[in-house]
Amino acid sequence: IQPPEKPLQAEEWNRLKESFRSPEIFEEMMFHSMLRCNSPIDVAKSLLTHVAKTNGDIAYNLLIKYLALCVQQGQTSEIRDTYDIMKMRFKILESGAYNLFIKGLSNSDQWRMALTLLEEVKKIMIPSRTNYESCIKAASRHREMRLAFELYHEMLAKDLVPTLDIQQALFDFSRGMKDAELQKELFGILLYLRENQIYPHKTFMRSIKLWFESIPGGNWRGHLTNIKDNGQCPVCKHQLEDSDLTEEEYNNLRERIIKDVIHGTDTFRKTSPQ
């Protein structure tokens, strides 16, 4: 189904619907196509207006698809209007709607409203990682790094695992800032990566390098290199720590497995037949 290039009148929408082989899902399929083709907002609005006049109402799923199109195009005022309409019509919105609202607003000059919506979400459900990361990126873009890290720690406290993308953003937007507390936070991320044996990809690695080099008065220099089998860095000659377990660490791990998994209550939660 190919969406029209300009807004249509009621009779034109009716003719299109009648020619569609499954008229009962015409509006839904049309919005799918509009999202795929990134149709102009006024075309989507003309379909919503037609639906409202015909049915006296607009279904939740159609409003969500219209909202997704607005977010895709960064139409901030339309996102705000859709939020007002949906909050007036429906007592509770589901997580997908909040994801779209927070994502759309966090990428706009009204990003603080995304923080307000995050607080709203907290009252009814556990916010998703996406909710937090949208707000963290928004705060970082506006150089409010303390707020960004406050949200980051809140996310970790809820056992939401951060993506490398959001950790990279924190390094990118902290570049050149002279703040001992901020440096401590970023070293905390590096320790988190180390302790969890998470290896940054090349663009994240470059962000870490550039951040170190941007520290005022730090005089850091980063180099891309390959580590030799003996674990020594060819550039600074530093011996990297071994990731293999020592005998003591292995015995501690063995004791924990026997106690918590084999003799414990979490056998079936932590293991599988494979």
Side-chain angles (χ1 to χ4, degrees), residues 186-196:
L186 292 164
F187 274 109
I189 291 179
L190 295 176
L191 284 171
Y192 174 89
L193 297 175
R194 169 185 176 268
E195 286 162 10
N196 291 281

Side-chain angles (χ1 to χ4, degrees), residues 145-158:
M145 300 312 297
R146 288 183 187 274
L147 172 60
F149 273 103
E150 194 180 304
L151 292 166
Y152 179 77
H153 287 301
E154 198 176 290
M155 181 174 78
L156 291 178
K158 292 190 185 326

